[in-house]
């Protein structure tokens, strides 16, 4: 595979200090990247995604006082076409499609979430990229109650589940995802899709599949897989201190961290992947593009030192202080696993 480079770069919004962290594919292809497929700015403002200079841009208000804005940029090695369709913006090259959307603050998200996801599913089918392999959802007041006393996350999950049940290709499976809090004034989401049917959705034998969570967690379960394998890259969903379907160690950051890391290590390991017919496995040192979401500002230094102790010294790690979809969760971690020696490695920044 020579032209199939697929990479991501996280860069500071200030742009002069590029933290390049790229994965899968030959060096040539990676150094060939020439156009941004999309830019997600994790910063101080939020709003509807827009096309800026031909590139979809989604702004998510994720910052706390620490002022640590950064942008996640998805690079294409080919020619990028972008556009909008209703409230959605999208872009694609020959291989991958990016799409982003936004739902304004509301007393009830079920219908709006269902509609915007249904619109997105129709868009990707029409564009010829029917397989979603990674999705992110950022939900304001995620643990608050909606206009009917239902937790906002559960309200959102209901709409998303209806869209996946009724409007998504039945055989496509649910993608790896993150569903997390934001300080923004509405639900922001984005996802990546591809043409091929070779993506493989992975569950974790330590955890109940989220789409099978019992009813006590809400009227409809969350629609996502624990990870999605796309070629040699494993996209790891937001992962937390949940065994089976139960939260472990409410109130105990260190213990929640250990369960979360144990879940990821098991999820990406050879034994769990073999159960899905995939060969080989990954270790925590293969993880990059890591986001650590933590609930309490006071836990920041602790999560940083816990992360440094377990991840590769060159891994790109971002810390985001937001609420998490269950009120008893203190930390959630996502990342992308790939062969650390397979592609061009980033130069560590000072
Ligand atoms: C969990 O395991 C923790 O709703 O898209 C993780 C990843 C979580 C994705 C989502 C939620 C979502 O249930 C929460």
């Amino acid at each position: 595979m020579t032209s199939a480079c697929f990479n991501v770069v996280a860069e500071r919004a200030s742009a002069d200090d590029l933290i390049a962290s790229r994965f899968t594919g030959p060096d040539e292809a990676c150094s060939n990247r020439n156009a941004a497929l999309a830019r997600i700015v994790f910063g101080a403002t939020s709003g509807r995604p827009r096309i800026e200079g031909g590139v979809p841009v989604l702004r998510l208000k994720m910052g706390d006082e620490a002022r640590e804005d950064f942008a996640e940029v998805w690079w294409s090695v080919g020619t990028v076409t972008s556009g909008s369709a209703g409230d959605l913006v999208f872009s694609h090259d020959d291989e991958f499609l990016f799409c982003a959307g936004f739902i304004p603050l509301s007393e009830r998200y079920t219908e709006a979430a269902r509609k915007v996801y249904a619109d997105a599913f129709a868009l990707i089918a029409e564009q010829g990229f029917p397989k979603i392999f990674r999705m992110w959802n950022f939900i304001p007041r995620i643990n608050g109650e909606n206009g009917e006393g239902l937790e906002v996350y559960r309200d959102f999950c209901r709409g998303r589940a209806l869209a996946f049940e009724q409007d998504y290709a039945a055989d496509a499976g649910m993608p790896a995802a993150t569903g997390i809090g934001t300080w923004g004034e509405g639900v922001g989401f984005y996802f990546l899709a591809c043409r091929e049917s070779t993506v493989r959705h992975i569950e974790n034998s330590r955890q109940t599949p989220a789409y099978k969570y019992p009813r006590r967690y809400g009227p409809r379960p969350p629609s996502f897989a624990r990870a999605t394998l796309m070629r040699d890259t494993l996209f790891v969903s937001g992962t937390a201190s949940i065994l089976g379907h139960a939260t472990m160690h409410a109130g105990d950051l260190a213990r929640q961290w250990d369960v979360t890391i144990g879940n990821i290590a098991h999820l990406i390991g050879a034994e769990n992947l073999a159960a899905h017919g995939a060969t080989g496995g990954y270790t925590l040192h293969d993880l990059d593009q890591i986001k650590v979401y933590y609930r309490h500002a006071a836990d920041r230094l602790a999560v940083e030192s816990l992360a440094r102790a377990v991840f590769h010294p060159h891994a790109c790690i971002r810390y985001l202080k937001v609420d998490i979809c269950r009120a008893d969760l203190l930390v959630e971690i996502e990342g992308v696993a790939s062969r650390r020696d397979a592609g061009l490695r980033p130069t560590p920044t000072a």
Side-chain angles (χ1 to χ4, degrees):
M1 224 176 350
T2 51
S3 65
C5 180
F6 168 56
N7 58 37
V8 63
V9 174
E11 72 180 36
R12 288 186 197 275
S14 59
D16 54 341
D17 187 10
L18 195 76
I19 299 175
S21 203
R22 50 195 75 172
F23 54 94
T24 69
D27 295 2
E28 309 79 46
C30 285
S31 59
N32 245 349
R33 62 185 167 79
N34 54 10
L37 194 64
R39 172 182 292 257
I40 302 94
V41 181
F42 294 81
T45 64
S46 70
R48 290 189 180 283
R50 301 188 309 172
I51 304 286
E52 297 179 13
V55 180
V57 178
L58 177 65
R59 291 193 164 72
L60 296 164
K61 185 172 176 182
M62 303 295 282
D64 56 355
E65 290 73 47
R67 306 291 310 150
E68 299 171 284
D69 296 9
F70 67 96
E72 175 181 292
V73 181
W74 293 87
W75 292 101
S76 169
V77 296
T79 304
V80 172
T81 304
S82 62
S84 50
D87 289 340
L88 300 167
V89 299
F90 67 96
S91 61
H92 67 82
D93 59 15
D94 288 345
E95 296 180 296
F96 303 112
L97 177 142
F98 172 91
C99 177
F102 187 79
I103 307 169
L105 274 186
S106 168
E107 285 295 292
R108 182 173 155 114
Y109 289 110
T110 300
E111 287 73 25
R114 182 184 167 186
K115 175 164 193 316
V116 76
Y117 279 100
D119 290 349
F121 297 158
L123 171 76
I124 61 177
E126 186 186 298
Q127 296 287 328
F129 299 83
K131 306 278 180 177
I132 299 177
F133 57 90
R134 187 63 169 95
M135 181 175 239
W136 285 263
N137 308 278
F138 298 88
I139 302 160
R141 295 186 55 248
I142 190 167
N143 302 131
E145 288 183 359
N146 78 352
E148 299 152 342
L150 180 66
E151 189 185 36
V152 169
Y153 176 63
R154 300 176 179 199
D155 178 9
F156 166 82
C157 281
R158 184 166 57 189
R160 178 176 57 171
L162 289 169
F164 269 102
E165 276 168 32
Q166 293 167 33
D167 306 301
Y168 192 57
D171 62 339
M174 279 168 283
T178 294
I180 199 80
T182 174
W183 304 108
E185 303 277 286
V187 175
F189 70 89
Y190 66 99
F191 65 81
L192 291 154
C194 61
R195 299 185 184 278
E196 63 213 79
S197 56
T198 55
V199 299
R200 212 185 282 259
H201 303 305
I202 309 287
E203 291 300 322
N204 186 337
S205 58
R206 285 165 49 118
Q207 299 188 289
T208 306
Y211 52 84
K212 292 184 182 166
Y213 281 171
R215 230 207 97 122
R216 79 163 96 132
Y217 298 103
R220 294 283 178 144
S223 314
F224 70 95
R226 299 296 175 186
T228 298
L229 187 61
M230 132 72 74
R231 302 176 190 168
D232 283 333
T233 300
L234 185 63
F235 291 88
V236 177
S237 292
T239 304
S241 178
I242 295 173
L243 292 176
H245 52 72
T247 298
M248 306 304 289
H249 311 303
D252 187 330
L253 177 77
R255 285 209 168 100
Q256 285 204 5
W257 178 274
D258 288 344
V259 172
T260 302
I261 289 297
N263 279 344
I264 294 177
H266 180 75
L267 172 71
I268 69 180
E271 182 194 323
N272 191 62
L273 295 187
H276 293 82
T279 51
Y282 301 89
T283 72
L284 293 171
H285 266 214
D286 296 320
L287 211 61
D288 210 333
Q289 306 306 126
I290 297 161
K291 296 195 190 87
V292 176
Y293 304 98
Y294 61 104
R295 182 181 292 276
H296 298 306
D299 290 339
R300 171 61 183 255
L301 290 179
V303 293
E304 275 193 50
S305 68
L306 288 163
R308 271 199 292 267
V310 69
F311 296 124
H312 192 283
H314 295 174
C316 175
I317 312 174
R318 295 296 183 172
Y319 303 90
L320 297 154
K321 189 204 134 355
V322 287
D323 288 339
I324 298 167
C325 68
R326 290 186 186 183
D328 52 12
L329 290 173
L330 300 173
V331 65
E332 183 172 312
I333 304 171
E334 65 172 54
V336 182
S338 63
R339 309 269 164 239
R340 191 159 277 282
D341 53 7
L344 187 64
R345 296 315 310 167
T347 316
T349 48

